[in-house]
Amino acid sequence: MTSSGARAPSPQRAHTFRSVLPVLALCWLAVFFDGMDVNIYGAVMPHMLDDPALGLTQSSAGTIGSWTTFGMLIGALTAGNLTDWLGRRPMLAGSVALFSLGSALCALAGTPGLFGAGRFVAGLGLGGLMPLCLAMVMEFAPPRRVALTTGLLMTSYHAGGMVATALGLTLAPAAGWRWVFWAGVLPAVIAVPLLLKLMPESPGVLLARGERAKADAVADRFALVRPTAVAAPAAGAKGRWAAVLALFRPESRWATPLLWLASFCGLLLVYGVSTWLPQMMRASGYGMTSSVSFLLVINAGGIVGMLIAGRTADRFGAVRVSAIWFVLTAVGALLLKSHLSLGMTYVVVAVTGVWLFSAQVMVYAASNTVYRDSERAAGLGWVTGVGRTGAVFGPWLGGALASSGNQSWGFTSFALAGLLGAVAIALVPLAGKLGGRRRAAPPSAGAAAPVQPVQPVQPVKGKPV
């Protein structure tokens, strides 16, 4: 084993973008079904509200949307502890199976309460899946291509959202909204066997569990540097608590809450829009087909945005791109409040999708410049987990405004969230410098010199810390 702070080189080929493709492809498939499941509810909500047998109201629809994201919050915060015992590969497969089970419960539900229970179960699986996939692709990606790899991964979320919208436009009117949720069971049949058979385990997790030979074998196979005790996350409850405390070391103690706030705003936008955009546009006077198709268009814009944001962030920095994208999202939300022509509305929705979703994903990429290797999984878990409170609040807010007849204020609320997210993420570099200055202060006279901590992982070229 190498000395602390050093990383042993892999004897295999150079670590290029190609070496991450197998992991990226499997995570892409898993997140595709994640995006499909999340967007299914918004795509069929107008049909569910028109179904008298179910008894769903606009107020209860918003509450159920929050149940989903509350399940995501719990799933995101507990996935790390379960990963210590089971590993990332079984957890990924289990997460997919869990949200597929939730979709089946929704298809069978006869009351809003039972339907909400199904969405909560689905949320547990969805919440654990995203941080695990993000941590996997960031661990396997070349250091200079982390933002691009993250952006490529997240295109799958929007591809899944487009499929969900297509099902809402075609299958729901023809066969009923329940059949759309039955389609949400497919991930358990398709993705789970592939993940269990083909997905490698994280070398860092293997090392933390004492399986040095397996960790080195996986690292060599995928052209990674072999993990060390510094890069490996600590196992067990004690190790998990230590990982959380490490997020507040001097270099990141101020950046961590800013990342949480930015993630809160970003996920409020993502889940608020995904849940309520069709109904908000319908209330603005657009027809049923046009209102649902706006969800398709905004997800198409999201795919384009991920590709643009990933490459731009690798050059100019994820923090800078995320801040600008948040501001542009706020502008788009205010434009949607105006009564534009149908064609112009489609254009604004598509362009807003370019900025909205990738603003949030670049928050994840920015966290990679703040946290060390051993903190990455915990840092991402908490950025996504605390951000899920925004995902809980967004659908609830949309339902509260809709039930009070103030749906137009939803666009204003989304604009304010975009501006707040821009301020939070823009302050992250300043927070890092503040923490660094405090750490570098000399000890007082007569005091023993402090033990120097391990240096943090070097940031991706072009990204401010």
Side-chain angles (χ1 to χ4, degrees):
M1 182 179 293
T2 60
S3 60
S4 178
R7 303 184 74 182
S10 167
Q12 299 295 322
R13 63 192 184 281
H15 187 195
T16 64
F17 183 76
R18 218 173 186 183
S19 61
V20 77
L21 286 179
V23 173
L24 177 60
L26 289 167
C27 287
W28 196 98
L29 179 65
V31 176
F32 168 86
F33 286 122
D34 180 309
M36 181 175 139
D37 191 282
V38 168
N39 285 274
I40 276 178
Y41 185 40
V44 301
M45 186 190 294
H47 298 281
M48 296 176 65
L49 290 170
D50 291 342
D51 182 1
L54 182 62
L56 188 69
T57 65
Q58 290 186 338
S59 178
S60 60
T63 301
I64 289 173
S66 295
W67 289 358
T68 310
T69 49
F70 183 66
M72 291 179 181
L73 171 62
I74 296 175
L77 295 178
T78 58
N81 289 320
L82 293 176
T83 301
D84 290 341
W85 305 329
L86 303 175
R88 286 185 187 162
R89 178 174 59 186
M91 279 299 300
L92 283 171
S95 296
V96 174
L98 195 57
F99 71 71
S100 296
L101 172 62
S103 190
L105 293 175
C106 289
L108 294 169
T111 65
L114 292 176
F115 180 85
R119 292 306 291 164
F120 176 77
V121 171
L124 293 174
L126 294 167
L129 180 71
M130 188 67 74
L132 289 171
C133 285
L134 286 166
M136 285 293 285
V137 298
M138 286 183 178
E139 181 177 5
F140 281 76
R144 298 181 185 274
R145 290 292 180 265
V146 171
L148 175 60
T149 307
T150 304
L152 288 173
L153 171 66
M154 294 306 297
T155 61
S156 61
Y157 176 91
H158 303 290
M162 293 175 69
V163 169
T165 307
L167 292 172
L169 288 169
T170 57
L171 187 59
W177 61 267
R178 295 181 186 276
W179 281 101
V180 180
F181 283 99
W182 280 122
V185 180
L186 291 176
V189 179
I190 299 173
V192 169
L194 292 175
L195 289 169
L196 291 175
K197 184 176 182 180
L198 301 176
M199 177 67 80
E201 185 53 88
S202 158
V205 170
L206 288 171
L207 181 60
R209 292 160 60 177
E211 301 180 67
R212 157 64 71 182
K214 290 183 179 179
D216 288 347
V218 173
D220 294 348
R221 176 185 170 195
F222 290 91
L224 308 176
V225 291
R226 290 177 174 177
T228 67
V230 173
K238 184 177 180 181
R240 184 59 53 187
W241 177 243
V244 173
L245 293 179
L247 305 183
F248 292 91
R249 60 190 171 86
E251 298 90 336
S252 58
R253 66 172 51 158
W254 301 111
T256 289
L258 288 170
L259 287 170
W260 289 359
L261 178 59
S263 184
F264 171 89
C265 294
L267 288 174
L268 185 155
L269 287 165
V270 168
Y271 288 94
V273 169
S274 296
T275 302
W276 283 104
L277 180 64
Q279 191 62 22
M280 288 168 64
M281 300 305 284
R282 189 183 182 191
S284 297
Y286 297 94
M288 172 77 82
T289 301
S290 296
S291 297
V292 176
S293 63
F294 286 133
L295 198 58
L296 179 70
V297 173
I298 202 169
N299 276 289
I303 292 177
V304 176
M306 293 300 171
L307 299 175
I308 295 173
R311 295 188 66 86
T312 307
D314 278 333
R315 182 175 180 182
F316 297 105
V319 168
R320 187 178 302 170
V321 170
S322 181
I324 296 173
W325 265 226
F326 268 124
V327 172
L328 293 173
T329 298
V331 174
L334 291 176
L335 287 175
L336 288 177
K337 188 176 180 180
S338 306
H339 291 279
L340 305 173
S341 65
L342 182 61
M344 184 57 67
T345 302
Y346 274 117
V347 172
V348 173
V349 169
V351 172
T352 302
V354 171
W355 318 125
L356 187 156
F357 299 103
S358 49
Q360 167 63 23
V361 173
M362 290 304 105
V363 174
Y364 299 147
S367 70
N368 192 58
T369 69
V370 174
Y371 301 123
R372 300 175 296 190
D373 284 5
S374 59
E375 301 159 2
R376 182 182 295 122
L380 277 172
W382 279 88
V383 168
T384 57
V386 174
R388 294 293 180 189
T389 59
V392 172
F393 185 72
W396 173 86
L397 177 63
L401 293 173
S403 61
S404 63
N406 295 313
Q407 285 165 314
S408 63
W409 281 93
F411 295 115
T412 303
S413 301
F414 293 151
L416 292 174
L419 293 176
L420 181 59
V423 172
I425 194 66
L427 290 175
V428 166
L430 178 62
K433 291 178 182 178
L434 178 63
R437 284 200 300 269
R438 292 192 175 187
R439 185 180 65 84
S444 59
V451 178
Q452 292 296 319
V454 177
Q455 292 297 315
V457 65
Q458 293 297 315
V460 179
K461 182 179 180 181
K463 293 182 181 180
V465 179

